[in-house]
Amino acid sequence: MSFTERVLEIKQFLQKTPIFQGVLDEQLQAVANIAIPQTYKKGETLFWEGDEATGFFIVKSGRIKVFKVANAGKEQILHIFGTEEHFAEVPAFDGGSFPASAAAIETSEVVFIPRSAFLMVLQQHPTLAIAMLGTYARHLRRLTYLVDTLSFQEVPERLTNYLLKLSDRNGKADIVELDLPKGQLAALLGTIPETLSRAFYKLSQEGLIEMNGTKIRLTHQLLKRQDGKND
């Protein structure tokens, strides 16, 4: 693929991403010109907490987890980013280091936007910066929700909400399939695998779910509870 073809492909991809929705064609072209496609294998690290933030990322395919590791080695997943989602733009803008680490959950393609080049683009196209303001707000809301969840919800309730999100993502399906290994899911929900297993057992005993390996049926009782919350 020639350089021109690669830039065109990146531009067409960026055009679909929420972060660049409504951006003028010339602004999008300027971003595509500096973008760098990268591929990471499953388990490969994009960056470690404390590394210099040299830019931000947009997921083209696959999934990337952003996480922190405690002194004892326990991992807390802050968020999992999928196709067309972006991450690490805040430290890339303020010039600091990455406040967390990132790694590929599966083989993933990302588009890397280098900080220094992007700041030059913003100087040439200042209105582009307005499009970035919404990203800060969305990330702040996400972190606020994470703090509330870990502070005020017990593990079974966190698990219930996660399963209901999987259901919503699949058109409110009553059968969902876990999209993460249980170790990763435990880290995402702020617990350990043993406690997560007990939470699955508790929900099963209460008649809220029926398990068959990685496939889980959400019973009418659980789905009705969710409908009640949405009323």
Side-chain angles (χ1 to χ4, degrees):
M1 180 183 296
S2 69
F3 175 78
T4 301
E5 291 172 330
R6 191 195 75 180
V7 171
L8 178 59
E9 182 182 288
I10 292 175
K11 180 183 175 183
Q12 291 172 339
F13 165 69
L14 294 178
Q15 205 163 23
K16 299 184 295 182
T17 62
I19 191 173
F20 292 119
Q21 284 293 312
V23 170
L24 296 176
D25 186 76
E26 62 178 296
Q27 298 173 338
L28 201 62
Q29 183 66 55
V31 177
N33 288 339
I34 64 170
I36 302 171
Q38 299 177 341
T39 301
Y40 293 88
K41 297 178 181 178
K42 179 180 179 180
E44 191 173 357
T45 302
L46 283 72
F47 55 81
W48 290 104
E49 179 178 352
D51 287 350
E52 178 187 359
T54 54
F56 67 96
F57 303 80
I58 306 172
V59 182
K60 195 167 185 287
S61 66
R63 289 182 297 168
I64 305 292
K65 66 176 181 179
V66 172
F67 63 98
K68 293 180 75 73
V69 179
N71 292 333
K74 180 183 176 183
E75 181 181 289
Q76 169 65 60
I77 295 178
L78 303 178
H79 194 71
I80 293 174
F81 294 91
T83 303
E84 299 179 7
E85 293 186 306
H86 53 276
F87 60 96
E89 70 280 357
V90 174
F93 269 101
D94 68 16
S97 57
F98 290 117
S101 305
I105 291 179
E106 56 198 54
T107 298
S108 303
E109 294 178 287
V110 301
V111 173
F112 175 68
I113 311 294
R115 176 179 186 269
S116 56
F118 188 66
L119 291 179
M120 291 180 65
V121 170
L122 290 182
Q123 289 175 356
Q124 297 165 0
H125 305 277
T127 56
L128 181 58
I130 298 175
M132 307 296 296
L133 295 179
T135 69
Y136 292 117
R138 285 192 290 272
H139 283 205
L140 180 59
R141 286 180 182 276
R142 184 180 296 129
L143 289 174
T144 300
Y145 174 78
L146 177 64
V147 171
D148 287 345
T149 297
L150 296 180
S151 300
F152 303 116
Q153 293 181 3
E154 298 295 330
V155 176
E157 186 176 0
R158 296 177 213 166
L159 175 57
T160 296
N161 289 336
Y162 181 79
L163 294 175
L164 288 171
K165 284 183 179 179
L166 287 182
S167 172
D168 287 342
R169 196 184 304 166
N170 291 283
K172 295 190 179 297
D174 60 346
I175 297 179
V176 299
E177 185 160 6
L178 295 181
D179 57 349
L180 292 171
K182 287 188 177 178
Q184 297 272 9
L185 179 55
L188 179 63
L189 298 180
T191 187
I192 58 176
E194 293 80 3
T195 304
L196 178 64
S197 294
R198 288 195 290 271
F200 272 115
Y201 179 76
K202 182 176 187 293
L203 296 182
S204 297
Q205 291 298 104
E206 292 177 351
L208 298 177
I209 64 172
E210 295 175 2
M211 298 185 63
N212 182 16
T214 59
K215 291 187 177 180
I216 300 174
R217 189 177 80 84
L218 312 186
T219 65
H220 178 70
Q221 182 182 352
L222 179 57
L223 295 172
K224 186 176 180 181
R225 177 190 294 184
Q226 177 68 355
D227 290 339
K229 288 182 180 179
N230 293 332
D231 288 343

